[in-house]
């Protein structure tokens, strides 16, 4: 597995409230997380920092588990611990009242993985020349679109498209969306804040993810550049994980 992570303040904001982390567990699993903070008086960056600090500490101590169900419960507990850290700070310090953050976290081996998320930061998987959005935005307009009250085009341009229906740290209890995914050689996973997904067309993201002859770091740089070219009116953060394709020998086997 290869990884890359990039974050940029953008062209408009005075503070970067996004945070990201990639790392490896003691058992050799690849982990990544992105958080996009919210809150007045610079509280958004506090929320995202607390969340990523909690997640990275927990994931860096992840030990092997015996079943997929156990792994799901453990990842859920890790995200809820991050929720508790942010909520406690928001509850005890008036300047951080009602702060919160989105979060997407991925935990992968070379066959499968887990994705956990809260909010509207996203995870995409690129496979076989196609891109698939793995997460479902926890936003008001997405709920309206899913119920048929808005078209997808109307939702994309709605003035309240950034209103979250669920965030990490704003409440003592929160529901975490979890899903299992499979991984195949050549797959690439993109985790990003809405500074990318809300500004850059999915076809352009796919084109960048599929471009041959570039490194994973260069792909990350290009994704950031696309968001800035599109206006850069928000912080933008990307974390990439690539499952390298197996090298085939002349006799058709693998080394």
């Amino acid at each position: 597995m290869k990884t890359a992570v990039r974050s940029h303040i953008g062209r408009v904001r005075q503070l970067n409230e996004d945070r990201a982390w990639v790392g490896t567990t003691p058992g050799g699993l690849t982990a990544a997380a992105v958080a996009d903070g919210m809150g007045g008086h610079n509280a958004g960056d506090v929320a995202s920092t607390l969340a990523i600090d909690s997640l990275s500490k927990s994931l860096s101590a992840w030990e092997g588990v015996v079943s997929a169900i156990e792994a799901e419960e453990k990842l859920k507990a890790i995200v809820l611990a991050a929720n508790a850290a942010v909520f406690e700070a928001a509850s005890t310090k008036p300047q951080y009242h009602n702060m919160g953050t989105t979060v997407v976290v991925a935990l992968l081996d070379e066959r499968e993985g887990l994705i956990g998320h809260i909010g509207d930061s996203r995870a995409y998987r690129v496979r076989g020349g196609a891109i698939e959005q793995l997460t479902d935005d926890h936003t008001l307009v997405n709920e309206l679109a899913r119920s048929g009250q808005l078209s997808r085009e109307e939702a994309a341009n709605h003035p309240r498209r950034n209103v979250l229906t669920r965030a990490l740290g704003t409440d003592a209890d929160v529901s975490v969306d979890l899903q299992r995914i499979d991984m195949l050689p050549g797959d690439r996973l993109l985790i990003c804040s809405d500074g990318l997904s809300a500004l850059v067309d999915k076809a352009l993201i796919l084109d960048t993810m599929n471009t041959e002859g570039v490194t994973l770091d260069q792909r990350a740089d290009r994704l950031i550049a696309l968001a800035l070219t599109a206006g850069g009116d928000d912080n933008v953060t990307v974390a990439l994980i690539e499952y390298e394709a197996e090298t085939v020998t002349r006799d058709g086997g693998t080394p």
Side-chain angles (χ1 to χ4, degrees):
M1 292 279 188
K2 290 183 177 180
T3 62
V5 62
R6 294 288 189 278
S7 187
H8 197 287
I9 195 172
R11 299 191 183 279
V12 177
R13 301 294 179 90
Q14 300 300 308
L15 183 70
N16 192 347
E17 296 183 328
D18 287 0
R19 296 291 183 271
W21 172 83
V22 294
T24 305
T25 71
L29 300 177
T30 300
V34 166
D36 179 357
M38 62 183 193
H41 304 293
N42 299 337
D45 69 313
V46 175
S48 59
T49 297
L50 287 171
I52 291 297
D53 284 351
S54 176
L55 290 167
S56 62
K57 182 178 180 180
S58 296
L59 289 167
S60 295
W62 181 288
E63 298 292 345
V65 291
V66 296
S67 70
I69 293 176
E70 184 180 354
E72 287 185 18
E73 289 302 314
K74 189 170 182 177
L75 184 60
K76 178 181 178 181
I78 284 173
V79 176
L80 291 178
N83 183 78
V86 176
F87 182 74
E88 180 180 6
S91 301
T92 57
K93 299 180 180 180
Q95 69 270 33
Y96 299 149
H97 175 68
N98 209 36
M99 72 176 178
T101 183
T102 70
V103 68
V104 181
V105 57
L107 189 67
L108 308 171
D109 64 19
E110 293 183 347
R111 296 174 304 279
E112 58 188 351
L114 285 173
I115 304 290
H117 98 283
I118 301 170
D120 64 353
S121 295
R122 293 179 178 177
Y124 296 92
R125 181 177 55 197
V126 176
R127 171 183 291 172
I131 187 169
E132 177 186 4
Q133 182 178 331
L134 300 173
T135 53
D136 194 32
D137 295 347
H138 299 141
T139 60
L140 175 63
V141 296
N142 189 46
E143 289 191 1
L144 294 174
R146 291 178 66 185
S147 66
Q149 298 179 62
L150 288 176
S151 69
R152 287 297 174 182
E153 292 74 20
E154 289 171 331
N157 298 291
H158 197 281
R160 300 190 69 193
R161 61 185 179 275
N162 293 325
V163 175
L164 298 179
T165 55
R166 199 189 309 176
L168 185 146
T170 55
D171 296 287
D173 298 307
V174 67
S175 178
V176 184
D177 282 7
L178 289 172
Q179 63 176 303
R180 301 180 202 173
I181 64 170
D182 66 314
M183 293 293 290
L184 298 176
D187 283 358
R188 296 184 180 112
L189 190 72
L190 162 65
I191 300 175
C192 64
S193 63
D194 67 344
L196 178 72
S197 57
L199 290 179
V200 180
D201 188 83
K202 191 160 66 172
L204 287 175
I205 295 175
L206 177 60
D207 183 63
T208 300
M209 294 293 286
N210 279 338
T211 301
E212 297 298 330
V214 296
T215 67
L216 202 62
D217 284 324
Q218 289 171 327
R219 294 184 202 282
D221 289 334
R222 291 185 182 190
L223 290 172
I224 296 293
L226 285 173
L228 297 178
T229 300
D233 61 4
D234 198 357
N235 311 142
V236 55
T237 298
V238 301
L240 302 178
I241 301 173
E242 180 178 66
Y243 180 11
E244 294 181 271
E246 295 177 343
T247 301
V248 179
T249 63
R250 287 186 178 183
D251 62 4
T254 55

